Amino acid sequence: LASDDVHWGLDALFAGTPVVALCGHTPATRTTAALLGAVNCSELARESIHDYTELAVRLASDAEQYWQFRTRIDDARRGSFLPVGGRSTPAPLFDTPRLIKALEFGF
């Protein structure tokens, strides 16, 4: 279980670890929430410190729920939750080939 930090929060998601995010009013504080949405786990982003703390404690003490989120992150990485054109593709956060194509198209 990881807490909200853009840099290592991204690393945690790539490792399959659920991240709890506390949304604020600046772009930096909302980035982790956007990343969570990209892996189908937007309910891990919270708007208040009370909700953030409650969720973090619940995930740390409830192994079943923790592993449900790990499974969803793994599904996003493998592409089993996002069918495109009859085939499964990874969630945008984990789809490096698609990112490379988009960058190449831009140049």
Side-chain angles (χ1 to χ4, degrees):
L1 176 63
S3 64
D4 185 16
D5 178 276
V6 174
H7 301 291
W8 70 270
L10 180 59
D11 290 340
L13 288 173
F14 269 86
T17 303
V19 176
V20 178
L22 178 61
C23 300
H25 299 290
T26 65
T29 61
R30 299 194 73 80
T31 301
T32 304
L35 295 173
L36 288 167
V39 297
N40 196 29
C41 291
S42 58
E43 63 270 34
L44 292 176
R46 299 299 183 180
E47 297 289 331
S48 75
I49 191 72
H50 173 76
D51 292 344
Y52 171 84
T53 305
E54 182 180 275
L55 178 60
V57 169
R58 186 168 13 118
L59 286 177
S61 60
D62 183 345
E64 183 177 336
Q65 189 173 30
Y66 172 82
W67 281 100
Q68 287 174 355
F69 280 107
R70 279 197 68 113
T71 300
R72 285 171 59 183
I73 294 167
D74 188 50
D75 288 348
R77 187 175 35 248
R78 287 182 294 125
S80 57
F81 89 101
L82 189 65
V84 174
R87 64 181 177 82
S88 294
T89 60
L93 181 64
F94 300 119
D95 195 349
T96 304
R98 185 168 55 179
L99 172 64
I100 291 170
K101 285 181 185 179
L103 287 172
E104 289 173 342
F105 181 77
F107 293 103

